[in-house]
Amino acid sequence: MSKSIEGVSNWMHMFRWIVKLIRDEYGIDEALLTRNATLETDIGLSIEQVEQVLEYIAESFEVHFPGGTLDELVKLEELCLLASWMKGYYKRPEFISDAFEGRCRAVNAIA
C-alpha cells in the first residue's frame, strides 16, 4: 500500500500528497478536499477509509500512528499537520493533547 513520496519535503507537500491520495483512492472531488474539511462529514470518508488513509501514510512515510489517533483528528488539515510533525516536516500541532504527544513519541523518532 506504500505510495511514492518523491518530492515531499514539507507540510505543504504532505498536504498535497494526502489530497491526491484521497482523490485517487476514494474518488472524492478535489474541491471538497480543503484544509478545514472534516474527514467524515465534509469529505464523506467512513472510519474504515480514514483508517486506510492512515495506513497509506504510515507505510509511505515510515511513521506509526498510535492508538487513539482518530480521537485527535477531525479535519484534513489536522491529519496533514500530525503526519508532517511525526515525519519531521512541521512543529508539534497545537491541537494534540500532551498524552497523545507522548504516545506518538513512544512509537516514532520525532525530533
Side-chain angles (χ1 to χ4, degrees), residues 26-42:
Y26 304 104
I28 305 293
D29 183 354
E30 199 166 326
L32 298 174
L33 301 172
T34 63
R35 291 173 58 169
N36 291 318
T38 57
L39 295 167
E40 293 176 52
T41 51
D42 294 339

Side-chain angles (χ1 to χ4, degrees), residues 14 22 34-35 47 51 65 70 72 77 79 106:
M14 174 77 79
I22 294 171
T34 63
R35 291 173 58 169
I47 292 292
E51 289 172 346
F65 292 97
L70 294 180
E72 299 283 328
E77 179 179 44
L79 171 60

Side-chain angles (χ1 to χ4, degrees), residues 19-87:
V19 165
K20 288 179 181 179
L21 170 72
I22 294 171
R23 179 197 67 199
D24 295 348
E25 291 298 318
Y26 304 104
I28 305 293
D29 183 354
E30 199 166 326
L32 298 174
L33 301 172
T34 63
R35 291 173 58 169
N36 291 318
T38 57
L39 295 167
E40 293 176 52
T41 51
D42 294 339
I43 297 173
L45 294 175
S46 68
I47 292 292
E48 293 79 18
Q49 290 172 319
V50 175
E51 289 172 346
Q52 289 174 337
V53 169
L54 293 178
E55 288 177 26
Y56 277 116
I57 295 169
E59 290 181 21
S60 299
F61 289 92
E62 299 177 349
V63 296
H64 303 282
F65 292 97
T69 295
L70 294 180
D71 296 333
E72 299 283 328
L73 303 174
V74 176
K75 298 178 180 180
L76 181 58
E77 179 179 44
E78 293 170 346
L79 171 60
C80 171
L81 294 177
L82 177 63
S84 295
W85 170 64
M86 291 191 326
K87 186 62 181 169

